[in-house]
Amino acid sequence: AFWAIGMYADRFGDRNLAFAALKKWAVDLKGAVNILWWAYTDGLRTDPRFKQIIRDTGLVEFWRSSNQWGDYCRPLANDDFECS
């Protein structure tokens, strides 16, 4: 499963592989996006590549339309957002 590859790649310091695997899982295969919030090393959710994955899954549009942001992301000005 690509989500597991992403978790292990991040754990062992291969961020490029981690993002490629998470994108494959969440965007390309339309896997469960709750996987994106599992414990990752510091900085993964603040990386611009993570933000792009979140955009590509459609979560940002959902959050903006419902005004119900998750525990790890919040809206910013000018249609931007940040995750921690």
Side-chain angles (χ1 to χ4, degrees), residues 3 15 21 30 33 36-37 46 48-49 51 57-58 69 73 79-80 82:
W3 62 268
R15 284 272 169 92
K30 299 189 185 326
V33 294
L36 297 173
W37 311 115
T46 59
R49 294 173 288 184
K51 285 178 66 172
T57 63
W69 289 75
C73 296
D79 291 332
D80 197 10
E82 69 178 358

Side-chain angles (χ1 to χ4, degrees), residues 27-78:
V27 178
D28 299 340
L29 298 176
K30 299 189 185 326
V33 294
N34 65 322
I35 297 298
L36 297 173
W37 311 115
W38 286 14
Y40 292 102
T41 58
D42 289 342
L44 188 81
R45 289 192 295 250
T46 59
D47 189 291
R49 294 173 288 184
F50 185 82
K51 285 178 66 172
Q52 188 59 51
I53 291 171
I54 296 300
R55 283 185 185 104
D56 292 345
T57 63
L59 281 173
V60 175
E61 291 85 14
F62 171 76
W63 290 335
R64 288 204 187 281
S65 67
S66 68
N67 202 28
Q68 295 181 14
W69 289 75
D71 293 337
Y72 300 104
C73 296
R74 66 183 184 94
L76 298 174
N78 299 324

